[in-house]
Amino acid sequence: ESKKLLKLRNILESSRRILRVKFFLIQFVLYSFVGLIACVVDFSVFFLLIKVSEISLVSATSISFSVATLVNFTLCYKFIFSVSKKRLWNQISGTFCIASIGLILNSFFFWLLLNYTQLSLFFAKAFVVPIVMIWNFGARRKFIYFASFSNQK
């Protein structure tokens, strides 16, 4: 009988791992979709700023990234990372701390690509966005919403 219990326990543990992977993949796909929306906001604000103002390119990319982060947080809060043991203010401040690191990465890689490659503004921006998206998703999931799966019943 102990062998049967051990086998059942292994099956349950395997099922739990499969559910975690599925949950992660679903969450990542949804985050990617929200990221796409935030990316459209990022590009739109960026190009609007450089076309209608005398603002520097790095400042324009910083502002557009910040607006996109606000859109991203709002959509993620409502649709993806709805379960957290942290208070809303801690979620917001944590998201913006992580996004600040993302902003530094965004600005640095954008500057690097503009100054040391022949990439256009558009392609430099397109190269940087996925790098920062992966950072933001991983960091938010690990440091802010780490309890999301275990709280799903």
Side-chain angles (χ1 to χ4, degrees):
E1 187 170 318
S2 126
K3 286 184 180 184
K4 287 182 180 179
L5 285 175
L6 184 60
K7 188 175 181 177
L8 183 59
R9 184 177 296 149
N10 288 339
I11 290 171
L12 289 173
E13 185 58 36
S14 295
S15 298
R16 185 160 173 79
R17 273 187 244 129
I18 290 169
L19 287 174
R20 281 186 178 150
V21 169
K22 284 183 178 181
F23 180 75
F24 173 83
L25 291 174
I26 289 168
Q27 207 174 38
F28 186 76
V29 167
L30 290 172
Y31 187 84
S32 297
F33 182 71
V34 167
L36 179 63
I37 293 168
C39 183
V40 169
V41 170
D42 192 348
F43 274 79
S44 299
V45 171
F46 174 74
F47 285 108
L48 181 68
L49 286 171
I50 64 171
K51 293 295 182 191
V52 300
S53 71
E54 299 290 321
I55 195 168
S56 74
L57 295 176
V58 173
S59 295
T61 199
S62 297
I63 292 168
S64 67
F65 180 83
S66 298
V67 172
T69 298
L70 183 60
V71 168
N72 185 286
F73 171 79
T74 303
L75 293 173
C76 284
Y77 179 76
K78 289 196 174 282
F79 302 110
I80 300 169
F81 297 123
S82 59
V83 178
S84 177
K85 292 182 179 180
K86 295 181 182 275
R87 293 187 140 154
L88 179 60
W89 174 249
N90 292 340
Q91 292 176 50
I92 294 169
S93 60
T95 296
F96 275 87
C97 285
I98 289 167
S100 295
I101 295 168
L103 177 58
I104 292 167
L105 293 171
N106 183 23
S107 297
F108 172 73
F109 286 123
F110 185 71
W111 174 84
L112 195 69
L113 290 171
L114 286 181
N115 287 294
Y116 294 102
T117 71
Q118 299 296 317
L119 290 176
S120 69
L121 292 175
F122 179 82
F123 285 111
K125 192 85 172 135
F127 184 81
V128 169
V129 166
I131 295 169
V132 177
M133 184 191 101
I134 291 168
W135 155 256
N136 282 332
F137 175 76
R140 285 170 72 179
R141 195 166 191 278
K142 180 172 177 80
F143 298 116
I144 299 172
Y145 301 103
F146 54 85
S148 290
F149 179 76
S150 61
N151 286 345
Q152 302 291 315
K153 302 272 188 222

